[in-house]
Structures are given as C-alpha cells and as structure tokens.
Amino acid sequence: MTEEVLVRQMKEGDKASFDLLYEKYRNTALRTAYLITGDRSLSEDIVQDTFVKIYLHCGELKNDSGFKAWMMQILVRTAYRSGKKASREVPDEEIVQKADTGRIPSSLEQVLAREEAGAIAEAVRALPMKQRSVVVLYYYQEYRISEIAQIMGCFEGTVKSRLHTAKKQLRRLLADESGIGFVRDSDERNGGYETGI
C-alpha cells in the first residue's frame, strides 16, 4: 500500500492507516526533534504532539503525496515552540563525523573524534533555534534547500540566509579548534549552493 493511499485512508478516519504512518515516521521525527531540542523527554513529547496535530488536522493536507514535508513542518514548528521554553542541549553522541572509512579507528582517532563532536555540539548548541533547525534539517536529515523552505514555511532565500549565518557563527565558534568544521559540499540537494563551513 502506497503512502498516498495510507494518507487518503487516514483522512477518511482510518486509524490503522494513521498507525502505519506513525510507525513509518516515528524514528525520523524523534531523531529530528532530539537534534533540535537536545532533550530526549521533550523530543518524545514533541513527536506525540506532532502526531496528535496530524490526526486532528489531516483534512487540511491538500496534497496526499506531500505528507512527509507536512509532517516535518508541524514537527519543526512544535519543536521550535517547545525549545524556546526548555533549556537546549545537543547531545555529543548524536553529532558524529559522517565519514566512514570502512576500518576501525584507532583509540587516538576515537578520542579526537569525540573532542571534535563535543566542539561541534557546543557550537550548534549556541545557535539560535531557527538557525539550528536549518542546520539539523540540512546536515543531519539531508534535506534540500527547497524542502527545508517548505518544511519551515519560508522562502528558499531565507533558508540560505539562515544557513549562511549559522555557518559564519559556527566558523567563529570553532575558530579556536583547528581542523573542525563540516565538509565542504555543493551537491544536488541545494542546486549548487555552497554549503561548506
């Protein structure tokens, strides 16, 4: 059964379809909320609130094939509101290098990677919530600029501006840490927009 069919059935009141969509996206939603807020308990509440809103307002979704983007939009807004109220902390263990060399790193490499992750966590933690949300969606969830704009309900230019400002702040915060930063890339996710730090 396709996602569009599940969404259509959920909109018709089918609880089983809602449950299947919840199971499909729960982990993604939980990880995203956790990266934005840094609080496991708060993240679980955000995911629950998000899916309650989805169930109550599913009739407002115009395009059944756009469910994931709509869900992420609700999730990010809910996390943003909750994050403004709660203290924020990005977990060091969640922020790791993406490179996988296929070999077991040495003890020294592991220590250096943990130190780097800690420095990045501190820097990301210092970002304002809207910039942090863009960083999480772009670097950790790997959404394209256009998708982030849809999720956050803003223009692509606004997303690019927030990402650019966040990168500048991260560069400044990480300036004392030699060799730390995101890998430079300009891939198809962003239409050639330079994203490296």
Side-chain angles (χ1 to χ4, degrees), residues 53-87:
K53 290 174 186 175
I54 286 169
Y55 190 75
L56 294 175
H57 300 282
C58 62
E60 297 172 17
L61 177 61
K62 304 286 188 260
N63 180 4
D64 293 348
S65 64
F67 175 79
K68 184 178 180 185
W70 182 66
M71 177 206 68
M72 292 300 288
Q73 183 178 46
I74 295 169
L75 177 78
V76 168
R77 289 181 178 171
T78 304
Y80 179 69
R81 283 188 209 101
S82 299
K84 282 169 56 173
K85 297 175 188 173
S87 62

PDB file of all heavy atoms in Angstrom, residues 53-87:
ATOM      1  N   LYS A  53      -1.529  16.463  16.307  1.00  0.00           N
ATOM      2  CA  LYS A  53      -1.907  17.532  15.373  1.00  0.00           C
ATOM      3  C   LYS A  53      -2.164  16.966  13.983  1.00  0.00           C
ATOM      4  O   LYS A  53      -3.106  17.394  13.294  1.00  0.00           O
ATOM      5  CB  LYS A  53      -0.809  18.592  15.317  1.00  0.00           C
ATOM      6  CG  LYS A  53      -0.707  19.415  16.585  1.00  0.00           C
ATOM      7  CD  LYS A  53       0.489  20.355  16.534  1.00  0.00           C
ATOM      8  CE  LYS A  53       0.655  21.070  17.861  1.00  0.00           C
ATOM      9  NZ  LYS A  53       1.879  21.898  17.894  1.00  0.00           N
ATOM     10  N   ILE A  54      -1.341  16.020  13.558  1.00  0.00           N
ATOM     11  CA  ILE A  54      -1.544  15.401  12.249  1.00  0.00           C
ATOM     12  C   ILE A  54      -2.902  14.716  12.190  1.00  0.00           C
ATOM     13  O   ILE A  54      -3.654  14.880  11.226  1.00  0.00           O
ATOM     14  CB  ILE A  54      -0.404  14.397  11.944  1.00  0.00           C
ATOM     15  CG1 ILE A  54       0.882  15.155  11.610  1.00  0.00           C
ATOM     16  CG2 ILE A  54      -0.790  13.436  10.813  1.00  0.00           C
ATOM     17  CD1 ILE A  54       2.123  14.277  11.553  1.00  0.00           C
ATOM     18  N   TYR A  55      -3.225  13.965  13.220  1.00  0.00           N
ATOM     19  CA  TYR A  55      -4.501  13.238  13.232  1.00  0.00           C
ATOM     20  C   TYR A  55      -5.693  14.202  13.238  1.00  0.00           C
ATOM     21  O   TYR A  55      -6.659  14.013  12.507  1.00  0.00           O
ATOM     22  CB  TYR A  55      -4.561  12.308  14.439  1.00  0.00           C
ATOM     23  CG  TYR A  55      -5.738  11.365  14.387  1.00  0.00           C
ATOM     24  CD1 TYR A  55      -5.741  10.273  13.523  1.00  0.00           C
ATOM     25  CD2 TYR A  55      -6.850  11.564  15.196  1.00  0.00           C
ATOM     26  CE1 TYR A  55      -6.820   9.411  13.466  1.00  0.00           C
ATOM     27  CE2 TYR A  55      -7.935  10.706  15.140  1.00  0.00           C
ATOM     28  CZ  TYR A  55      -7.916   9.634  14.271  1.00  0.00           C
ATOM     29  OH  TYR A  55      -8.987   8.783  14.203  1.00  0.00           O
ATOM     30  N   LEU A  56      -5.578  15.249  14.047  1.00  0.00           N
ATOM     31  CA  LEU A  56      -6.685  16.206  14.168  1.00  0.00           C
ATOM     32  C   LEU A  56      -6.847  17.092  12.936  1.00  0.00           C
ATOM     33  O   LEU A  56      -7.961  17.527  12.632  1.00  0.00           O
ATOM     34  CB  LEU A  56      -6.488  17.086  15.404  1.00  0.00           C
ATOM     35  CG  LEU A  56      -6.566  16.375  16.753  1.00  0.00           C
ATOM     36  CD1 LEU A  56      -6.237  17.334  17.886  1.00  0.00           C
ATOM     37  CD2 LEU A  56      -7.947  15.746  16.962  1.00  0.00           C
ATOM     38  N   HIS A  57      -5.757  17.371  12.236  1.00  0.00           N
ATOM     39  CA  HIS A  57      -5.802  18.329  11.131  1.00  0.00           C
ATOM     40  C   HIS A  57      -5.466  17.716   9.779  1.00  0.00           C
ATOM     41  O   HIS A  57      -5.161  18.440   8.830  1.00  0.00           O
ATOM     42  CB  HIS A  57      -4.828  19.488  11.419  1.00  0.00           C
ATOM     43  CG  HIS A  57      -5.160  20.220  12.669  1.00  0.00           C
ATOM     44  ND1 HIS A  57      -6.181  21.138  12.752  1.00  0.00           N
ATOM     45  CD2 HIS A  57      -4.618  20.150  13.916  1.00  0.00           C
ATOM     46  CE1 HIS A  57      -6.252  21.613  13.984  1.00  0.00           C
ATOM     47  NE2 HIS A  57      -5.315  21.028  14.712  1.00  0.00           N
ATOM     48  N   CYS A  58      -5.532  16.384   9.665  1.00  0.00           N
ATOM     49  CA  CYS A  58      -5.133  15.729   8.412  1.00  0.00           C
ATOM     50  C   CYS A  58      -5.986  16.172   7.236  1.00  0.00           C
ATOM     51  O   CYS A  58      -5.526  16.155   6.094  1.00  0.00           O
ATOM     52  CB  CYS A  58      -5.124  14.211   8.552  1.00  0.00           C
ATOM     53  SG  CYS A  58      -6.713  13.480   8.948  1.00  0.00           S
ATOM     54  N   GLY A  59      -7.203  16.602   7.497  1.00  0.00           N
ATOM     55  CA  GLY A  59      -8.062  17.085   6.418  1.00  0.00           C
ATOM     56  C   GLY A  59      -7.526  18.339   5.747  1.00  0.00           C
ATOM     57  O   GLY A  59      -7.912  18.677   4.626  1.00  0.00           O
ATOM     58  N   GLU A  60      -6.624  19.050   6.422  1.00  0.00           N
ATOM     59  CA  GLU A  60      -6.054  20.283   5.869  1.00  0.00           C
ATOM     60  C   GLU A  60      -4.936  20.012   4.863  1.00  0.00           C
ATOM     61  O   GLU A  60      -4.530  20.912   4.129  1.00  0.00           O
ATOM     62  CB  GLU A  60      -5.509  21.161   7.002  1.00  0.00           C
ATOM     63  CG  GLU A  60      -6.596  21.625   7.959  1.00  0.00           C
ATOM     64  CD  GLU A  60      -6.029  22.318   9.185  1.00  0.00           C
ATOM     65  OE1 GLU A  60      -4.848  22.734   9.165  1.00  0.00           O
ATOM     66  OE2 GLU A  60      -6.775  22.453  10.173  1.00  0.00           O
ATOM     67  N   LEU A  61      -4.424  18.780   4.830  1.00  0.00           N
ATOM     68  CA  LEU A  61      -3.372  18.426   3.891  1.00  0.00           C
ATOM     69  C   LEU A  61      -3.975  18.316   2.500  1.00  0.00           C
ATOM     70  O   LEU A  61      -4.820  17.464   2.242  1.00  0.00           O
ATOM     71  CB  LEU A  61      -2.709  17.096   4.294  1.00  0.00           C
ATOM     72  CG  LEU A  61      -1.619  16.555   3.368  1.00  0.00           C
ATOM     73  CD1 LEU A  61      -0.456  17.533   3.264  1.00  0.00           C
ATOM     74  CD2 LEU A  61      -1.142  15.204   3.864  1.00  0.00           C
ATOM     75  N   LYS A  62      -3.550  19.197   1.610  1.00  0.00           N
ATOM     76  CA  LYS A  62      -4.124  19.241   0.260  1.00  0.00           C
ATOM     77  C   LYS A  62      -3.540  18.169  -0.653  1.00  0.00           C
ATOM     78  O   LYS A  62      -4.243  17.552  -1.434  1.00  0.00           O
ATOM     79  CB  LYS A  62      -3.873  20.623  -0.369  1.00  0.00           C
ATOM     80  CG  LYS A  62      -4.399  21.782   0.450  1.00  0.00           C
ATOM     81  CD  LYS A  62      -5.903  21.868   0.379  1.00  0.00           C
ATOM     82  CE  LYS A  62      -6.407  23.134   1.032  1.00  0.00           C
ATOM     83  NZ  LYS A  62      -6.905  22.940   2.377  1.00  0.00           N
ATOM     84  N   ASN A  63      -2.224  17.957  -0.559  1.00  0.00           N
ATOM     85  CA  ASN A  63      -1.532  17.027  -1.451  1.00  0.00           C
ATOM     86  C   ASN A  63      -1.136  15.779  -0.663  1.00  0.00           C
ATOM     87  O   ASN A  63      -0.203  15.822   0.134  1.00  0.00           O
ATOM     88  CB  ASN A  63      -0.298  17.724  -2.037  1.00  0.00           C
ATOM     89  CG  ASN A  63       0.487  16.837  -2.963  1.00  0.00           C
ATOM     90  OD1 ASN A  63       0.102  15.708  -3.249  1.00  0.00           O
ATOM     91  ND2 ASN A  63       1.617  17.342  -3.438  1.00  0.00           N
ATOM     92  N   ASP A  64      -1.808  14.684  -0.923  1.00  0.00           N
ATOM     93  CA  ASP A  64      -1.548  13.452  -0.171  1.00  0.00           C
ATOM     94  C   ASP A  64      -0.112  12.962  -0.324  1.00  0.00           C
ATOM     95  O   ASP A  64       0.432  12.320   0.573  1.00  0.00           O
ATOM     96  CB  ASP A  64      -2.515  12.346  -0.602  1.00  0.00           C
ATOM     97  CG  ASP A  64      -3.955  12.644  -0.209  1.00  0.00           C
ATOM     98  OD1 ASP A  64      -4.175  13.582   0.591  1.00  0.00           O
ATOM     99  OD2 ASP A  64      -4.865  11.964  -0.707  1.00  0.00           O
ATOM    100  N   SER A  65       0.538  13.277  -1.446  1.00  0.00           N
ATOM    101  CA  SER A  65       1.920  12.843  -1.650  1.00  0.00           C
ATOM    102  C   SER A  65       2.907  13.725  -0.885  1.00  0.00           C
ATOM    103  O   SER A  65       4.082  13.400  -0.793  1.00  0.00           O
ATOM    104  CB  SER A  65       2.271  12.841  -3.140  1.00  0.00           C
ATOM    105  OG  SER A  65       2.223  14.161  -3.651  1.00  0.00           O
ATOM    106  N   GLY A  66       2.447  14.823  -0.308  1.00  0.00           N
ATOM    107  CA  GLY A  66       3.316  15.724   0.442  1.00  0.00           C
ATOM    108  C   GLY A  66       3.260  15.507   1.946  1.00  0.00           C
ATOM    109  O   GLY A  66       3.584  16.415   2.721  1.00  0.00           O
ATOM    110  N   PHE A  67       2.871  14.313   2.370  1.00  0.00           N
ATOM    111  CA  PHE A  67       2.688  14.056   3.799  1.00  0.00           C
ATOM    112  C   PHE A  67       3.963  14.279   4.606  1.00  0.00           C
ATOM    113  O   PHE A  67       3.938  14.926   5.658  1.00  0.00           O
ATOM    114  CB  PHE A  67       2.174  12.628   4.034  1.00  0.00           C
ATOM    115  CG  PHE A  67       2.088  12.275   5.491  1.00  0.00           C
ATOM    116  CD1 PHE A  67       1.029  12.725   6.263  1.00  0.00           C
ATOM    117  CD2 PHE A  67       3.077  11.520   6.110  1.00  0.00           C
ATOM    118  CE1 PHE A  67       0.947  12.425   7.613  1.00  0.00           C
ATOM    119  CE2 PHE A  67       3.010  11.216   7.465  1.00  0.00           C
ATOM    120  CZ  PHE A  67       1.939  11.674   8.212  1.00  0.00           C
ATOM    121  N   LYS A  68       5.088  13.750   4.138  1.00  0.00           N
ATOM    122  CA  LYS A  68       6.327  13.825   4.927  1.00  0.00           C
ATOM    123  C   LYS A  68       6.746  15.279   5.159  1.00  0.00           C
ATOM    124  O   LYS A  68       7.100  15.654   6.277  1.00  0.00           O
ATOM    125  CB  LYS A  68       7.460  13.050   4.254  1.00  0.00           C
ATOM    126  CG  LYS A  68       8.725  13.034   5.097  1.00  0.00           C
ATOM    127  CD  LYS A  68       9.833  12.230   4.455  1.00  0.00           C
ATOM    128  CE  LYS A  68      11.076  12.235   5.339  1.00  0.00           C
ATOM    129  NZ  LYS A  68      12.198  11.553   4.690  1.00  0.00           N
ATOM    130  N   ALA A  69       6.705  16.089   4.119  1.00  0.00           N
ATOM    131  CA  ALA A  69       7.078  17.502   4.267  1.00  0.00           C
ATOM    132  C   ALA A  69       6.120  18.211   5.225  1.00  0.00           C
ATOM    133  O   ALA A  69       6.540  19.023   6.061  1.00  0.00           O
ATOM    134  CB  ALA A  69       7.086  18.201   2.913  1.00  0.00           C
ATOM    135  N   TRP A  70       4.833  17.891   5.128  1.00  0.00           N
ATOM    136  CA  TRP A  70       3.828  18.497   6.010  1.00  0.00           C
ATOM    137  C   TRP A  70       4.077  18.078   7.457  1.00  0.00           C
ATOM    138  O   TRP A  70       4.033  18.889   8.371  1.00  0.00           O
ATOM    139  CB  TRP A  70       2.440  18.074   5.528  1.00  0.00           C
ATOM    140  CG  TRP A  70       1.291  18.647   6.286  1.00  0.00           C
ATOM    141  CD1 TRP A  70       0.914  19.964   6.353  1.00  0.00           C
ATOM    142  CD2 TRP A  70       0.334  17.923   7.073  1.00  0.00           C
ATOM    143  NE1 TRP A  70      -0.214  20.091   7.147  1.00  0.00           N
ATOM    144  CE2 TRP A  70      -0.589  18.859   7.587  1.00  0.00           C
ATOM    145  CE3 TRP A  70       0.183  16.574   7.385  1.00  0.00           C
ATOM    146  CZ2 TRP A  70      -1.653  18.477   8.396  1.00  0.00           C
ATOM    147  CZ3 TRP A  70      -0.888  16.205   8.179  1.00  0.00           C
ATOM    148  CH2 TRP A  70      -1.783  17.150   8.686  1.00  0.00           C
ATOM    149  N   MET A  71       4.371  16.794   7.659  1.00  0.00           N
ATOM    150  CA  MET A  71       4.675  16.288   9.000  1.00  0.00           C
ATOM    151  C   MET A  71       5.903  16.997   9.575  1.00  0.00           C
ATOM    152  O   MET A  71       5.908  17.419  10.729  1.00  0.00           O
ATOM    153  CB  MET A  71       4.929  14.778   8.953  1.00  0.00           C
ATOM    154  CG  MET A  71       5.333  14.196  10.301  1.00  0.00           C
ATOM    155  SD  MET A  71       6.328  12.689  10.186  1.00  0.00           S
ATOM    156  CE  MET A  71       7.836  13.291   9.483  1.00  0.00           C
ATOM    157  N   MET A  72       6.963  17.131   8.755  1.00  0.00           N
ATOM    158  CA  MET A  72       8.178  17.787   9.230  1.00  0.00           C
ATOM    159  C   MET A  72       7.926  19.254   9.552  1.00  0.00           C
ATOM    160  O   MET A  72       8.499  19.800  10.493  1.00  0.00           O
ATOM    161  CB  MET A  72       9.294  17.649   8.189  1.00  0.00           C
ATOM    162  CG  MET A  72       9.800  16.227   8.022  1.00  0.00           C
ATOM    163  SD  MET A  72      10.488  15.500   9.534  1.00  0.00           S
ATOM    164  CE  MET A  72      12.011  16.408   9.659  1.00  0.00           C
ATOM    165  N   GLN A  73       7.065  19.886   8.800  1.00  0.00           N
ATOM    166  CA  GLN A  73       6.719  21.277   9.070  1.00  0.00           C
ATOM    167  C   GLN A  73       6.068  21.402  10.449  1.00  0.00           C
ATOM    168  O   GLN A  73       6.446  22.263  11.250  1.00  0.00           O
ATOM    169  CB  GLN A  73       5.765  21.787   7.981  1.00  0.00           C
ATOM    170  CG  GLN A  73       5.397  23.239   8.129  1.00  0.00           C
ATOM    171  CD  GLN A  73       4.493  23.677   6.994  1.00  0.00           C
ATOM    172  OE1 GLN A  73       3.523  22.973   6.655  1.00  0.00           O
ATOM    173  NE2 GLN A  73       4.779  24.819   6.407  1.00  0.00           N
ATOM    174  N   ILE A  74       5.122  20.532  10.734  1.00  0.00           N
ATOM    175  CA  ILE A  74       4.463  20.539  12.044  1.00  0.00           C
ATOM    176  C   ILE A  74       5.475  20.223  13.139  1.00  0.00           C
ATOM    177  O   ILE A  74       5.509  20.872  14.185  1.00  0.00           O
ATOM    178  CB  ILE A  74       3.284  19.534  12.058  1.00  0.00           C
ATOM    179  CG1 ILE A  74       2.192  19.980  11.087  1.00  0.00           C
ATOM    180  CG2 ILE A  74       2.725  19.378  13.475  1.00  0.00           C
ATOM    181  CD1 ILE A  74       1.119  18.940  10.839  1.00  0.00           C
ATOM    182  N   LEU A  75       6.325  19.235  12.892  1.00  0.00           N
ATOM    183  CA  LEU A  75       7.323  18.825  13.871  1.00  0.00           C
ATOM    184  C   LEU A  75       8.294  19.960  14.208  1.00  0.00           C
ATOM    185  O   LEU A  75       8.542  20.247  15.379  1.00  0.00           O
ATOM    186  CB  LEU A  75       8.103  17.613  13.347  1.00  0.00           C
ATOM    187  CG  LEU A  75       9.228  17.124  14.253  1.00  0.00           C
ATOM    188  CD1 LEU A  75       8.657  16.313  15.392  1.00  0.00           C
ATOM    189  CD2 LEU A  75      10.220  16.301  13.464  1.00  0.00           C
ATOM    190  N   VAL A  76       8.841  20.606  13.181  1.00  0.00           N
ATOM    191  CA  VAL A  76       9.814  21.676  13.410  1.00  0.00           C
ATOM    192  C   VAL A  76       9.168  22.839  14.161  1.00  0.00           C
ATOM    193  O   VAL A  76       9.758  23.397  15.092  1.00  0.00           O
ATOM    194  CB  VAL A  76      10.445  22.136  12.079  1.00  0.00           C
ATOM    195  CG1 VAL A  76      11.235  23.424  12.257  1.00  0.00           C
ATOM    196  CG2 VAL A  76      11.348  21.038  11.526  1.00  0.00           C
ATOM    197  N   ARG A  77       7.963  23.194  13.785  1.00  0.00           N
ATOM    198  CA  ARG A  77       7.272  24.298  14.486  1.00  0.00           C
ATOM    199  C   ARG A  77       6.971  23.932  15.935  1.00  0.00           C
ATOM    200  O   ARG A  77       7.104  24.757  16.835  1.00  0.00           O
ATOM    201  CB  ARG A  77       6.001  24.679  13.735  1.00  0.00           C
ATOM    202  CG  ARG A  77       6.299  25.383  12.433  1.00  0.00           C
ATOM    203  CD  ARG A  77       5.057  25.780  11.701  1.00  0.00           C
ATOM    204  NE  ARG A  77       5.426  26.483  10.483  1.00  0.00           N
ATOM    205  CZ  ARG A  77       4.573  26.803   9.547  1.00  0.00           C
ATOM    206  NH1 ARG A  77       3.286  26.485   9.660  1.00  0.00           N
ATOM    207  NH2 ARG A  77       4.975  27.446   8.465  1.00  0.00           N
ATOM    208  N   THR A  78       6.571  22.693  16.164  1.00  0.00           N
ATOM    209  CA  THR A  78       6.301  22.241  17.529  1.00  0.00           C
ATOM    210  C   THR A  78       7.594  22.217  18.341  1.00  0.00           C
ATOM    211  O   THR A  78       7.623  22.659  19.491  1.00  0.00           O
ATOM    212  CB  THR A  78       5.638  20.843  17.517  1.00  0.00           C
ATOM    213  OG1 THR A  78       4.446  20.896  16.725  1.00  0.00           O
ATOM    214  CG2 THR A  78       5.280  20.387  18.913  1.00  0.00           C
ATOM    215  N   ALA A  79       8.674  21.732  17.731  1.00  0.00           N
ATOM    216  CA  ALA A  79       9.968  21.702  18.418  1.00  0.00           C
ATOM    217  C   ALA A  79      10.460  23.113  18.704  1.00  0.00           C
ATOM    218  O   ALA A  79      11.006  23.380  19.780  1.00  0.00           O
ATOM    219  CB  ALA A  79      10.997  20.953  17.560  1.00  0.00           C
ATOM    220  N   TYR A  80      10.248  24.012  17.754  1.00  0.00           N
ATOM    221  CA  TYR A  80      10.682  25.396  17.941  1.00  0.00           C
ATOM    222  C   TYR A  80       9.965  26.029  19.132  1.00  0.00           C
ATOM    223  O   TYR A  80      10.576  26.640  19.994  1.00  0.00           O
ATOM    224  CB  TYR A  80      10.437  26.200  16.665  1.00  0.00           C
ATOM    225  CG  TYR A  80      10.832  27.646  16.798  1.00  0.00           C
ATOM    226  CD1 TYR A  80      12.172  28.009  16.916  1.00  0.00           C
ATOM    227  CD2 TYR A  80       9.881  28.645  16.815  1.00  0.00           C
ATOM    228  CE1 TYR A  80      12.537  29.325  17.047  1.00  0.00           C
ATOM    229  CE2 TYR A  80      10.243  29.970  16.942  1.00  0.00           C
ATOM    230  CZ  TYR A  80      11.577  30.309  17.057  1.00  0.00           C
ATOM    231  OH  TYR A  80      11.934  31.613  17.195  1.00  0.00           O
ATOM    232  N   ARG A  81       8.643  25.838  19.178  1.00  0.00           N
ATOM    233  CA  ARG A  81       7.869  26.399  20.304  1.00  0.00           C
ATOM    234  C   ARG A  81       8.301  25.778  21.633  1.00  0.00           C
ATOM    235  O   ARG A  81       8.455  26.464  22.630  1.00  0.00           O
ATOM    236  CB  ARG A  81       6.377  26.165  20.082  1.00  0.00           C
ATOM    237  CG  ARG A  81       5.771  27.116  19.083  1.00  0.00           C
ATOM    238  CD  ARG A  81       4.250  26.992  19.041  1.00  0.00           C
ATOM    239  NE  ARG A  81       3.800  27.345  17.712  1.00  0.00           N
ATOM    240  CZ  ARG A  81       3.458  26.483  16.768  1.00  0.00           C
ATOM    241  NH1 ARG A  81       3.477  25.188  17.019  1.00  0.00           N
ATOM    242  NH2 ARG A  81       3.078  26.885  15.579  1.00  0.00           N
ATOM    243  N   SER A  82       8.493  24.463  21.639  1.00  0.00           N
ATOM    244  CA  SER A  82       8.899  23.778  22.867  1.00  0.00           C
ATOM    245  C   SER A  82      10.326  24.137  23.262  1.00  0.00           C
ATOM    246  O   SER A  82      10.628  24.298  24.443  1.00  0.00           O
ATOM    247  CB  SER A  82       8.794  22.264  22.690  1.00  0.00           C
ATOM    248  OG  SER A  82       7.478  21.890  22.408  1.00  0.00           O
ATOM    249  N   GLY A  83      11.195  24.261  22.267  1.00  0.00           N
ATOM    250  CA  GLY A  83      12.595  24.571  22.528  1.00  0.00           C
ATOM    251  C   GLY A  83      12.795  25.950  23.102  1.00  0.00           C
ATOM    252  O   GLY A  83      13.744  26.195  23.850  1.00  0.00           O
ATOM    253  N   LYS A  84      11.904  26.876  22.750  1.00  0.00           N
ATOM    254  CA  LYS A  84      12.005  28.220  23.304  1.00  0.00           C
ATOM    255  C   LYS A  84      11.704  28.213  24.799  1.00  0.00           C
ATOM    256  O   LYS A  84      12.208  29.035  25.542  1.00  0.00           O
ATOM    257  CB  LYS A  84      11.024  29.160  22.592  1.00  0.00           C
ATOM    258  CG  LYS A  84      11.534  29.606  21.235  1.00  0.00           C
ATOM    259  CD  LYS A  84      10.502  30.307  20.387  1.00  0.00           C
ATOM    260  CE  LYS A  84       9.871  31.510  21.044  1.00  0.00           C
ATOM    261  NZ  LYS A  84       9.007  32.255  20.116  1.00  0.00           N
ATOM    262  N   LYS A  85      10.900  27.244  25.233  1.00  0.00           N
ATOM    263  CA  LYS A  85      10.509  27.169  26.647  1.00  0.00           C
ATOM    264  C   LYS A  85      11.497  26.372  27.484  1.00  0.00           C
ATOM    265  O   LYS A  85      11.632  26.588  28.670  1.00  0.00           O
ATOM    266  CB  LYS A  85       9.123  26.530  26.762  1.00  0.00           C
ATOM    267  CG  LYS A  85       8.032  27.321  26.094  1.00  0.00           C
ATOM    268  CD  LYS A  85       6.726  26.559  26.145  1.00  0.00           C
ATOM    269  CE  LYS A  85       5.663  27.257  25.313  1.00  0.00           C
ATOM    270  NZ  LYS A  85       4.450  26.469  25.198  1.00  0.00           N
ATOM    271  N   ALA A  86      12.143  25.402  26.844  1.00  0.00           N
ATOM    272  CA  ALA A  86      13.025  24.495  27.590  1.00  0.00           C
ATOM    273  C   ALA A  86      14.487  24.827  27.332  1.00  0.00           C
ATOM    274  O   ALA A  86      14.839  25.398  26.314  1.00  0.00           O
ATOM    275  CB  ALA A  86      12.738  23.048  27.176  1.00  0.00           C
ATOM    276  N   SER A  87      15.333  24.438  28.242  1.00  0.00           N
ATOM    277  CA  SER A  87      16.770  24.604  28.005  1.00  0.00           C
ATOM    278  C   SER A  87      17.178  23.641  26.916  1.00  0.00           C
ATOM    279  O   SER A  87      16.657  22.536  26.819  1.00  0.00           O
ATOM    280  CB  SER A  87      17.564  24.331  29.275  1.00  0.00           C
ATOM    281  OG  SER A  87      17.369  22.999  29.686  1.00  0.00           O
TER     282      SER A  87
END
